[in-house]
Amino acid sequence: MFKQKNFFEVIKYDFYDKGVMQSYTSFLSRSVVNVSFEEIGNEIIRKSTGKKAWLIASGILFCLSILLCICSFTDKTITMADSIFYLVPSIVCFIVFILLKQELVYLVGRQNLFFFYKKNQISQIHEFINEIIKRRNNYYKEKYAIIENDLTLEQQLNKFRWLKNDEIITAEEYDYLIDQLQSLANKAYMFYNQK
């Protein structure tokens, strides 16, 4: 199990036999999603989220406040209170931006898994992502790295190439499966030619 907290948000991950269960709880909502290993990719990206409009509004209001402060020295109709009037919402907008800003790490696939990016948890996040990928690869090996009688030779070759290209099986495992497949194909060929 892997758990992270970020202000009023909590993410928990648990493994089940065919995938990962992601539980997300925030101040206002809760969701549980089961993500099968079939939907999990192996690309990892880091992304910042947050509404930049809050930062832009804060910047505009702050500049307006500074401009009014400067103008108050030359124009006596403008007071420092006018400057402070725009400074306060500027600070509020900036605080909202800081509270909404998040750094996330995504394990990208058909169904993305996300983690809060925290500098003190980087190694734990990567260890857990590596464990997810390892378990996904083991799941794929058990399910697909076998010779199936109901598939054609070409379909099986494509399946084994896919497993090798996605680094689910090693080159040695690939060679072993191809040798097994060729051996079966030769036996079948010999069997049908004897008749």
Side-chain angles (χ1 to χ4, degrees), residues 14-56:
D14 259 330
F15 289 105
Y16 68 100
D17 58 338
K18 294 183 181 180
V20 179
M21 181 179 69
Q22 177 185 19
S23 173
Y24 172 80
T25 307
S26 72
F27 186 67
L28 299 173
S29 67
R30 176 169 163 63
S31 67
V32 176
V33 178
N34 289 329
V35 181
S36 76
F37 287 126
E38 301 273 346
E39 298 174 306
I40 296 174
N42 56 1
E43 181 185 2
I44 300 169
I45 61 170
R46 189 171 131 199
K47 187 176 179 183
S48 294
T49 65
K51 305 293 183 195
K52 290 190 174 127
W54 290 105
L55 183 61
I56 293 167

Side-chain angles (χ1 to χ4, degrees), residues 93-109:
C93 287
F94 186 72
I95 290 171
V96 169
F97 170 74
I98 294 297
L99 290 175
L100 294 178
K101 186 178 185 301
Q102 289 183 336
E103 293 273 332
L104 298 173
V105 174
Y106 289 92
L107 179 57
V108 179

Side-chain angles (χ1 to χ4, degrees), residues 131-148:
E131 181 65 23
I132 291 172
I133 292 171
K134 179 181 156 193
R135 289 186 187 209
R136 182 206 64 180
N137 289 353
N138 288 337
Y139 173 82
Y140 278 152
K141 277 184 187 180
E142 290 175 11
K143 187 170 181 178
Y144 297 112
I146 56 173
I147 295 173
E148 300 177 61

Side-chain angles (χ1 to χ4, degrees), residues 149-173:
N149 294 330
D150 57 335
L151 295 179
T152 65
L153 182 64
E154 185 178 339
Q155 288 172 324
Q156 298 211 56
L157 285 171
N158 288 337
K159 178 178 69 167
F160 297 150
R161 277 189 213 112
W162 163 68
L163 291 171
K164 182 181 171 217
N165 291 341
D166 279 8
E167 299 176 358
I168 294 166
I169 60 174
T170 64
E172 293 81 20
E173 290 171 317

Side-chain angles (χ1 to χ4, degrees), residues 1 6 8 10 12 28 37-38 47 61 68 70 72 92-93 107 134 148:
M1 184 168 121
N6 190 38
F8 300 110
V10 177
K12 291 182 201 171
L28 299 173
F37 287 126
E38 301 273 346
K47 187 176 179 183
L61 290 169
L68 287 172
I70 292 168
S72 71
V92 170
C93 287
L107 179 57
K134 179 181 156 193
E148 300 177 61

Side-chain angles (χ1 to χ4, degrees), residues 53-129:
W54 290 105
L55 183 61
I56 293 167
S58 173
I60 291 170
L61 290 169
F62 183 76
C63 290
L64 189 56
S65 173
I66 296 297
L67 182 65
L68 287 172
C69 182
I70 292 168
C71 289
S72 71
F73 294 120
T74 59
D75 187 354
K76 298 301 176 198
T77 61
I78 299 173
T79 65
M80 286 301 270
D82 295 331
S83 177
I84 293 171
F85 178 78
Y86 288 100
L87 183 61
V88 171
S90 169
I91 293 169
V92 170
C93 287
F94 186 72
I95 290 171
V96 169
F97 170 74
I98 294 297
L99 290 175
L100 294 178
K101 186 178 185 301
Q102 289 183 336
E103 293 273 332
L104 298 173
V105 174
Y106 289 92
L107 179 57
V108 179
R110 287 189 306 235
Q111 178 77 35
N112 296 337
L113 297 175
F114 70 92
F115 304 86
F116 299 124
Y117 180 82
K118 295 185 175 192
K119 291 184 182 188
N120 63 341
Q121 291 186 327
I122 293 171
S123 63
Q124 293 97 335
I125 292 169
H126 284 287
E127 284 175 21
F128 189 71
I129 288 173

